[in-house]
Amino acid sequence: HDRGGMIIVGPPGSLKSTVVMIVAEHYPDALLLSDINAQMLAQIRDTLTGSSVRTLVIPELAKLYQRHTATASNVEGYLQALASEGFAHAAHEDSRVATLKAKATIMSAITPQRRLAHFPEWESSGFNRRFLWPLIQLEKPEVLEQAVLDWRRLSFGSADSRSLPPMP
């Protein structure tokens, strides 16, 4: 019944954000959010309960922590609720009004250092257990860096992202 999610962990320049953005590009029920706050989540709650959007894609989870600590912690709580028990009311809304609970699969990316810094609080709050945390690393990151310098597109072989299976 939980939606859960996946937060890819990798060093800067390892294409982790690119990997999660592929989901937003190829699934019509995925919504790309470059920034997120409690008011925005309250605004899109009906979109999430109606199932026209089932997945939230946040390319860089670190963006969340560029705000005041209390604000970041609040949004983190909403994401945790969306991935598990559901999100019915934002803090600024009257909780006596009946609403449907919104749920969503959460996909994001983060650096190993940032994950390590937040791990103790995520473990105690339950945030950690709601997500899969795959590790990603480029075997030869200098190839990517050189392609950027040469303004040259890299080929990653014959993988076809359109062959992604439908989200459950």
Side-chain angles (χ1 to χ4, degrees):
H1 296 281
D2 289 353
R3 293 285 179 91
M6 179 176 74
I7 301 175
I8 296 176
V9 182
S14 60
L15 301 176
K16 61 192 176 300
S17 298
T18 303
V19 170
V20 297
M21 286 193 297
I22 288 171
V23 172
E25 290 174 20
H26 294 281
Y27 286 98
D29 60 353
L31 179 62
L32 179 65
L33 301 170
S34 58
D35 199 0
I36 191 167
N37 59 37
Q39 290 77 21
M40 180 189 301
L41 287 172
Q43 289 173 358
I44 65 171
R45 180 183 47 231
D46 289 343
T47 306
L48 295 169
T49 59
S51 293
S52 61
V53 171
R54 297 171 46 111
T55 303
L56 297 180
V57 178
I58 306 162
E60 275 296 333
L61 195 60
K63 177 72 173 106
L64 177 66
Y65 300 100
Q66 292 176 340
R67 328 185 122 80
H68 189 276
T69 307
T71 303
S73 181
N74 187 35
V75 174
E76 189 179 280
Y78 286 123
L79 294 177
Q80 182 174 328
L82 281 167
S84 187
E85 67 272 6
F87 159 55
H89 294 94
H92 63 276
E93 296 176 323
D94 190 336
S95 60
R96 296 173 297 171
V97 177
T99 60
L100 296 171
K101 283 188 178 181
K103 289 189 174 191
T105 301
I106 309 296
M107 298 196 67
S108 192
I110 196 164
T111 63
Q113 296 82 5
R114 178 81 60 177
R115 182 173 186 228
L116 229 97
H118 291 281
F119 184 81
E121 70 225 35
W122 288 347
E123 189 64 17
S124 64
S125 72
F127 185 84
N128 197 45
R129 68 180 168 79
R130 285 170 170 80
F131 301 97
L132 299 174
W133 299 88
L135 304 175
I136 189 171
Q137 179 179 352
L138 294 178
E139 189 174 314
K140 296 180 180 179
E142 64 277 1
V143 172
L144 181 60
E145 293 164 8
Q146 191 59 52
V148 170
L149 291 173
D150 296 343
W151 202 248
R152 176 176 44 90
R153 179 175 276 207
L154 285 177
S155 172
F156 288 97
S158 61
D160 183 3
S161 59
R162 290 173 300 194
S163 65
L164 292 170
M167 295 288 269

